[in-house]
Amino acid sequence: MTDHTFRFGVVATPQDGDAWRATARRIAELGYSTLLMPDGLQLLAPFPSLAVAASVADIRVATFVLASPLRTPMAAAWDAHSMTVLTGGRFELGIGTGIPAAKQSAERLGMPYGTAAERLAQVGATIDRVRELEQADGPGDLRTPVLVAAGGPKSRTLAAEKADIVTLAAGPLANTDDMAAMAEDLRAKAGDRADAIELAMNIFVIGDDVPPWTKQFMGVDADELIAADALTMLRGTPQEMADELQRRRERIGTSYISVNAQFVEQFAPVVELLRDR
């Protein structure tokens, strides 16, 4: 299904500088490739936070994902390109149209939230501005990989045209058949680019227990996830989890796997089994 080897990331948010630096060092020690950070005014700002992380550990850093209404395309591209240059090419720009809570953040920033079509157009414009900044710098090896969170058909069309990495934004109860259909549609839209696109998957629950914050965010409990055979949950021994991820890669094409920081130690044996395979 894909020639992409496995790599693994951790989605985390900083509370203070010392703990954040320790988190970056620890995930690098455990073999994760990337530290990813969400976006929103309820959190610290992602670009300076990720710059700090990249300065203390030999890891990639990524936004996961920027909400397009919170910045103009040029402002987001400027920060992204600067991160790529300053980290020596270790930055990935993850971007999407934003979750519903982004509307309140946009209002507080004095930014128009826009329609769904306008927010998606901002995603495309941001990617274009990043590429323009790269061209303005002249020939070089530094290029910002762009991850697009794509849910509906229109966002998959944009991702197929412009993204290097795509995370298929399905509902919390989406199963293998659901995700495989989305991936097939993406590849069909991508045409000759299909093999170059890396497919990502964020797993919210490792093991049998759903943390309270995760249950609140997703709106489902463990029994519902298990009954649906949902891909947002991964259970079993480390070897069983590794086998399941290999099956998902074979069927769907997902090779870039991220987990929440709460599961970083629990999931580390799976990383050891599959990293670079």
Side-chain angles (χ1 to χ4, degrees):
M1 173 61 70
T2 179
D3 292 330
H4 292 286
T5 58
F6 279 110
R7 64 183 180 119
F8 298 91
V10 177
V11 181
T13 57
Q15 301 298 321
D16 62 70
D18 289 343
W20 183 239
R21 286 186 286 271
T23 295
R25 294 188 186 103
R26 183 56 177 160
I27 71 167
E29 290 171 359
L30 292 173
Y32 294 90
S33 69
T34 314
L35 174 59
L36 306 100
M37 183 177 166
D39 187 29
L41 283 181
Q42 75 279 15
L43 307 170
L44 295 178
F47 288 110
S49 300
L50 292 170
V52 168
S55 73
V56 300
D58 185 17
I59 53 170
R60 301 184 67 79
V61 292
T63 51
F64 192 72
V65 294
L66 283 190
S68 64
L70 304 191
R71 301 161 186 84
T72 66
M74 192 64 223
W78 184 24
D79 278 335
H81 181 64
S82 298
M83 284 289 296
T84 294
V85 172
L86 294 173
T87 62
R90 289 184 291 131
F91 175 72
E92 298 170 2
L93 173 63
I95 187 167
T97 57
I99 61 175
K103 184 174 183 179
Q104 292 180 333
S105 293
E107 290 172 352
R108 291 179 62 192
L109 288 166
M111 296 290 293
Y113 185 65
T115 65
E118 289 169 338
R119 298 195 303 274
L120 185 60
Q122 285 180 282
V123 173
T126 300
I127 299 171
D128 292 342
R129 299 296 87 77
V130 170
R131 299 301 174 228
E132 289 170 4
L133 290 172
E134 291 168 348
Q135 291 175 3
D137 279 353
D141 296 330
L142 293 183
R143 181 179 183 278
T144 302
V146 173
L147 178 153
V148 170
K154 292 180 180 178
S155 62
R156 289 198 295 272
T157 297
L158 183 143
E161 179 185 350
K162 296 180 182 291
D164 303 287
I165 309 159
V166 177
T167 183
L168 297 169
L173 297 179
N175 60 26
T176 301
D177 289 341
D178 299 328
M179 201 73 77
M182 294 175 69
E184 183 178 352
D185 178 66
L186 174 74
R187 283 189 287 268
K189 294 179 187 313
D192 293 341
R193 295 190 67 244
D195 290 342
I197 295 175
E198 184 178 30
L199 286 186
M201 176 180 292
N202 185 40
I203 300 175
F204 283 88
V205 181
I206 301 297
D208 295 309
D209 298 322
V210 180
W213 68 266
T214 307
K215 182 178 179 179
Q216 181 179 10
F217 179 78
M218 294 197 301
V220 293
D221 59 23
D223 289 341
E224 291 173 288
L225 293 171
I226 293 169
D229 197 19
L231 299 189
T232 47
M233 172 182 261
L234 188 64
R235 306 159 62 218
T237 66
Q239 186 60 61
E240 289 169 340
M241 292 184 194
D243 292 343
E244 171 61 17
L245 289 177
Q246 290 185 93
R247 285 191 291 270
R248 293 183 187 185
R249 182 174 64 174
E250 178 63 26
R251 176 76 189 282
I252 305 166
T254 46
S255 59
Y256 185 5
I257 309 299
S258 59
V259 299
N260 187 272
Q262 178 170 345
F263 302 109
V264 64
E265 301 287 345
Q266 184 179 349
F267 192 66
V270 183
V271 174
E272 182 64 27
L273 288 170
L274 291 180
R275 187 179 58 203
D276 298 327
R277 288 185 54 185

